[in-house]
Amino acid sequence: YQRRVHGGFRDHAVYKGRQVFFYKRAQIFVADVWGAFAGEGLGQFDDISVLTMFADYRVPQLLRHQRVLVLSAPLAAKVDALEELLPGSEEEVELRLVTVEAVERLRGAVGWGTSVQVDWRLWQDGERICNEINPHHRTRTIYYVRLHSALLFSHPVVPSNNLIFGKRKSGPGKKKKKKKKLCVDT
């Protein structure tokens, strides 16, 4: 039972001869419990700050759009053509690694929250505009499955203001956009 259920938590790869660990789904599990309980009681984890962002596909898509990540021309062409990046391939692992590093640097630059909170915020922003920007990379893997609870989008641990990294998103003179359908990933 444990092997079938928790096998998706063993998110690691060998990159240039070294083993690297992402543990995306395991981290999401812990972060969702933390968020659902607002960091208290069963959700109190004094070491929540050691978690990294959840390296998958939506955040690198958004960071590319924001020009935080710049893909090489060959990689950008593959992503834009919806070509699959094989799981564990150098391109896929590098993209995930640089996304983790970029989020850590953003967190330090903006001066608020944990990597978990920054990831949640970026992922939500990416979901909002995913049909309007370049596509995300395609990798068939069990490790990218997002297992959020409904609480993730409204729990009190994520800042609820209308600012993301200092950019005003709404207010006087700004038109409200119609709700868009959820992104359709193929």
Side-chain angles (χ1 to χ4, degrees):
Y1 168 77
Q2 186 175 10
R3 176 180 266 159
R4 283 194 328 261
V5 172
H6 300 295
F9 283 9
R10 287 192 296 265
D11 184 6
H12 56 88
V14 176
Y15 176 73
K16 296 188 177 184
R18 296 183 68 188
Q19 186 138 18
V20 294
F21 302 91
F22 295 105
Y23 295 139
K24 177 202 175 250
R25 290 174 66 187
Q27 291 191 108
I28 284 179
F29 174 76
V30 171
D32 278 354
V33 171
W34 176 70
F37 289 94
E40 297 178 6
L42 294 174
Q44 181 177 350
F45 301 108
D46 296 329
D47 57 353
I48 197 73
S49 63
V50 302
L51 297 183
T52 66
M53 61 85 60
F54 317 127
D56 62 4
Y57 59 93
R58 186 67 70 219
V59 173
Q61 177 191 21
L62 178 67
L63 294 180
R64 179 183 179 204
H65 173 71
Q66 294 176 331
R67 296 193 172 121
V68 172
L69 294 181
V70 178
L71 306 184
S72 68
L75 180 56
K78 283 183 179 181
V79 171
D80 292 344
L82 307 180
E83 290 181 27
E84 183 179 0
L85 302 182
L86 295 176
S89 67
E90 190 169 294
E91 291 170 321
E92 188 257 351
V93 173
E94 282 180 358
L95 190 52
R96 293 180 80 194
L97 288 170
V98 299
T99 302
V100 170
E101 180 65 21
V103 169
E104 288 302 310
R105 290 183 185 195
L106 279 171
R107 185 187 54 77
V110 298
W112 67 261
T114 63
S115 297
V116 168
Q117 292 168 307
V118 173
D119 178 275
W120 282 339
R121 189 67 170 272
L122 291 171
W123 194 88
Q124 290 172 35
D125 287 345
E127 277 294 294
R128 246 187 312 282
I129 65 171
C130 62
N131 290 320
E132 303 165 16
I133 61 179
N134 285 340
H136 65 78
H137 70 280
R138 298 318 201 250
T139 300
R140 291 180 195 267
T141 176
I142 62 171
Y143 303 126
Y144 287 14
V145 175
R146 248 5 232 183
L147 299 174
H148 329 264
S149 66
L151 296 171
L152 177 70
F153 296 103
S154 61
H155 62 70
V157 182
V158 176
S160 61
N161 61 28
N162 269 333
L163 297 175
I164 178 161
F165 306 133
K167 294 180 183 176
R168 192 164 150 203
K169 294 178 68 171
S170 65
K174 296 261 185 173
K175 292 183 180 180
K176 288 191 176 183
K177 293 182 179 179
K178 291 181 184 178
K179 271 195 168 182
K180 295 190 179 204
K181 64 180 181 177
L182 292 176
C183 294
V184 179
D185 294 325
T186 55

